[in-house]
Amino acid sequence: MESLHPLVGGEFAPTSTYLNTAVCGLLPRRTVRAVTRLAEELADGRPGGSGESEAVDAARRSFARLAGVDEGRVAVGGSVSVHAGLIAASMPPGAEVLFPEGEYASVITPFTVRGDLKLRYAPLDALADAVRPGTALVAFSAVQSADGRIADMAAVRSAAAAHGARTLLDASQSAGWLPLRAGEWDYTVTGGFKFLLCPRGVSFLTVAEEAQEALSPMHAGTFAAERLWETTYGPIDELAHSARRYDEPPAFLAYHGGEQSLALLEEIGIDVVHAHVVALTRRFRAELDALGHAPVPGDSAIVAVPGLGDRAAALGAAGIVLSSRSGALRAAFHLYNTQADVDRALEQIGPR
């Protein structure tokens, strides 16, 4: 398998042309081994409980390094919607929240179900201009799920700062291939099962130190204690002094695997992955243009081709795994993809 790094060939051996990481990333072999090992121990009657908190802490540390923040700013969980719900619950009644049009439902819905917030929407390319006095929070994805467009993050961050608005960045479709600087945002939320290559059930919330003042740990349980396992009955007297106070109880099978996936990404390096992915997608877009198609432009790992969404099933039958989103054919490239994958996909798509 031609690959960007010697580690990749030993960790991945897909039996299809897999261009669907925007739905779910492939699990590295080391991750599968870790999950299998724990599952077998649990079947045998493992004496140490359902998993090791050390694996959770290792995953937290890995993500912190990948995101460029101190591990004390990182909370773990199981889904983006729960993290977003925690933030939504902290908003005062009547607060204004600004989203891009077409933003992913897991980012928006925790705020809409409040019923007492003022919600506004703006086109993605005009999001920064839509921030105004009184905007309390701007919530958006770094990379749009539907079509792969990359937000002008610097412009949004600058506009939010100018108007005193907090920021919530969803990195689910970017972390793992696009460098993430989580410290630039009040909150980030990231589902781990896409470009971070973790089993589903791994997710991360980062919280700026100042933002913690307004964020109540509403689902605090035993894992939110400053001293783990010292308070298992009755109320916790001292919550964690770090963002760990916002932890959800971890799904140990997922985190035993996630520890391995994140370690692999650290070993390879996000900058290396980014250069590899952009090279593949630039060629893919150029060749699609030459075939008479019109992909959404940019340097995203996600390539959407409007009007070809109905081709996804036939391509799948030919062994090219990708998706249909909003009428577009959506391909998503990652570290395990090669130029040969580009060739196979282009051959099956064919001219207009």
Side-chain angles (χ1 to χ4, degrees), residues 292-331:
H293 304 294
V296 174
D299 274 336
S300 176
I302 299 172
V303 181
V305 190
L308 292 188
D310 59 357
R311 301 278 300 278
L315 286 162
I320 315 294
V321 183
L322 29 64
S323 299
S324 174
R325 291 293 185 275
S326 300
L329 188 69
R330 187 186 70 177

Side-chain angles (χ1 to χ4, degrees), residues 279-294:
L280 292 178
T281 58
R282 282 179 177 173
R283 179 177 167 234
F284 189 52
R285 284 186 173 88
E287 296 287 349
L288 285 168
D289 279 326
L291 289 169
H293 304 294

Side-chain angles (χ1 to χ4, degrees), residues 38-39 41-53 229 252-253 256:
L38 178 58
E41 290 175 2
L42 292 171
D44 291 340
R46 188 176 190 271
S50 56
E52 299 295 340
S53 59
W229 310 123
F252 281 115
L253 280 167
H256 274 239

Side-chain angles (χ1 to χ4, degrees), residues 206-227:
T206 71
V207 188
E209 189 168 2
E210 181 182 329
Q212 290 192 33
E213 298 173 5
L215 191 63
S216 176
M218 298 184 65
H219 52 238
T222 54
F223 287 91
E226 173 64 16
R227 291 174 296 279

Side-chain angles (χ1 to χ4, degrees), residues 230-288:
E230 287 190 14
T231 306
T232 52
Y233 304 103
I236 294 172
D237 295 325
E238 186 178 6
L239 292 173
H241 301 163
S242 68
R244 189 165 57 75
R245 69 175 63 189
Y246 306 115
D247 277 9
E248 298 173 55
F252 281 115
L253 280 167
Y255 274 90
H256 274 239
E259 173 190 7
Q260 302 299 320
S261 296
L262 296 168
L264 174 64
L265 286 169
E266 284 199 88
E267 290 173 47
I268 294 173
I270 300 301
D271 288 340
V272 172
V273 177
H274 178 260
H276 174 73
V277 166
V278 169
L280 292 178
T281 58
R282 282 179 177 173
R283 179 177 167 234
F284 189 52
R285 284 186 173 88
E287 296 287 349
L288 285 168

Side-chain angles (χ1 to χ4, degrees), residues 43-212:
D44 291 340
R46 188 176 190 271
S50 56
E52 299 295 340
S53 59
E54 288 80 2
V56 180
D57 291 337
R60 188 197 313 270
R61 288 191 296 270
S62 274
F63 180 80
R65 289 188 292 265
L66 291 169
V69 293
D70 183 88
E71 66 179 280
R73 301 278 73 82
V74 180
V76 302
S79 70
V80 161
S81 58
V82 174
H83 296 313
L86 180 68
I87 298 165
S90 74
M91 305 291 293
E96 179 181 285
V97 185
L98 175 65
F99 304 99
E101 295 172 351
E103 180 56 68
Y104 198 70
S106 293
V107 177
I108 297 176
T109 309
F111 294 88
T112 64
V113 297
R114 274 281 305 264
D116 61 353
L117 300 175
K118 183 176 183 178
L119 308 180
R120 287 199 302 123
Y121 303 87
L124 181 66
D125 58 5
L127 189 64
D129 293 336
V131 184
R132 64 189 185 187
T135 301
L137 179 72
V138 186
F140 68 107
S141 294
V143 175
Q144 287 292 298
S145 171
D147 56 18
R149 286 179 298 157
I150 301 175
D152 187 343
M153 289 176 273
V156 173
R157 188 169 58 251
S158 177
H163 293 289
R166 293 198 187 277
T167 52
L168 164 58
L169 182 78
D170 181 359
S172 297
Q173 297 287 15
S174 58
W177 73 269
L178 185 67
L180 171 62
R181 291 178 285 274
E184 296 178 345
W185 309 96
D186 293 293
Y187 313 104
T188 72
V189 292
T190 306
F193 64 98
K194 299 178 186 291
F195 291 89
L196 290 179
L197 309 175
C198 298
R200 189 155 193 154
V202 173
S203 66
F204 300 97
L205 164 70
T206 71
V207 188
E209 189 168 2
E210 181 182 329
Q212 290 192 33

